[in-house]
């Protein structure tokens, strides 16, 4: 069940993997649906979920472009958690903006305010996870004088 109390679709039948680039891990639509409470109306739209994940993945990868997280080795388990959280949270924020465009006019004001609040929450979650990931870089250090 999702947060709305509605039964979820069979996640394995709609799972699509979004490949990583070898350095960053692959993403999964089933994981996104299950762990980020994706609305049922989007859960069955694999192409839309893949698009949002790829967009978020590109934005996070661009943010991390100048940060060396490891010395050429794969990310460790903690880094993978923060990376996934940054990407999935940003994808969730993008998904909420998509929902704004599909609401009915009579209830648009209340729903848009709620969606904007949720969008801001998920954007801040993504930024927070990104900053936590960047702080794990072996090249960032403080020198005491």
């Amino acid at each position: 069940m999702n947060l709305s109390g509605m039964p979820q679709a069979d996640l394995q039948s709609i799972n699509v993997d979004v490949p990583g680039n070898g350095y960053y891990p692959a993403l999964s639509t089933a994981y996104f649906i299950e762990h980020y409470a994706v609305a049922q109306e989007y859960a069955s739209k694999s192409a839309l979920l893949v698009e949002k994940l790829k967009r978020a993945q590109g934005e996070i990868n661009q943010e991390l472009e100048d940060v060396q997280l490891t010395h050429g080795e794969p990310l460790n388990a903690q880094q993978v958690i923060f990376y996934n959280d940054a990407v999935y949270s940003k994808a969730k924020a993008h998904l909420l903006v998509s929902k704004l465009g599909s609401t009915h006019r009579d209830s648009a004001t209340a729903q848009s305010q709620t969606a904007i609040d949720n969008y801001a929450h998920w954007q801040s979650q993504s930024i927070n996870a990104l900053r936590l990931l960047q702080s794990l870089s072996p090249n960032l250090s403080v020198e005491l004088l």
Side-chain angles (χ1 to χ4, degrees):
M1 292 226 177
N2 63 16
L3 294 179
S4 67
M6 300 297 290
Q8 285 190 329
D10 178 20
L11 294 179
Q12 294 310 315
S13 68
I14 58 172
N15 185 38
V16 177
D17 285 330
V18 176
N21 62 1
Y23 184 69
Y24 295 117
L27 305 167
S28 162
T29 58
Y31 183 89
F32 184 41
I33 292 166
E34 184 177 6
H35 291 88
Y36 288 83
V38 171
Q40 186 63 35
E41 61 197 88
Y42 296 121
S44 61
K45 297 179 180 178
S46 295
L48 176 68
L49 295 178
V50 168
E51 175 203 337
K52 298 302 181 189
L53 286 173
K54 283 184 177 181
R55 180 176 306 222
Q57 182 184 46
E59 290 176 17
I60 295 299
N61 289 358
Q62 186 175 14
E63 285 276 336
L64 294 171
E65 194 172 64
D66 297 329
V67 178
Q68 184 179 3
L69 298 173
T70 64
H71 296 293
E73 302 153 11
L75 299 180
N76 67 38
Q78 187 177 20
Q79 290 171 319
V80 168
I81 289 170
F82 291 146
Y83 176 80
N84 284 343
D85 197 30
V87 174
Y88 287 125
S89 293
K90 186 168 281 288
K92 174 77 174 191
H94 287 310
L95 204 56
L96 290 168
V97 170
S98 296
K99 191 171 184 172
L100 278 175
S102 66
T103 58
H104 299 291
R105 289 181 186 248
D106 55 348
S107 61
T109 304
Q111 287 183 352
S112 66
Q113 186 58 47
T114 302
I116 288 169
D117 291 343
N118 286 335
Y119 172 80
H121 168 76
W122 288 105
Q123 276 291 93
S124 70
Q125 290 292 330
S126 176
I127 291 167
N128 189 35
L130 184 63
R131 299 299 173 246
L132 289 169
L133 179 59
Q134 289 171 330
S135 73
L136 295 177
S137 172
N139 295 333
L140 292 178
S141 61
V142 176
E143 184 176 329
L144 298 174
L145 298 175

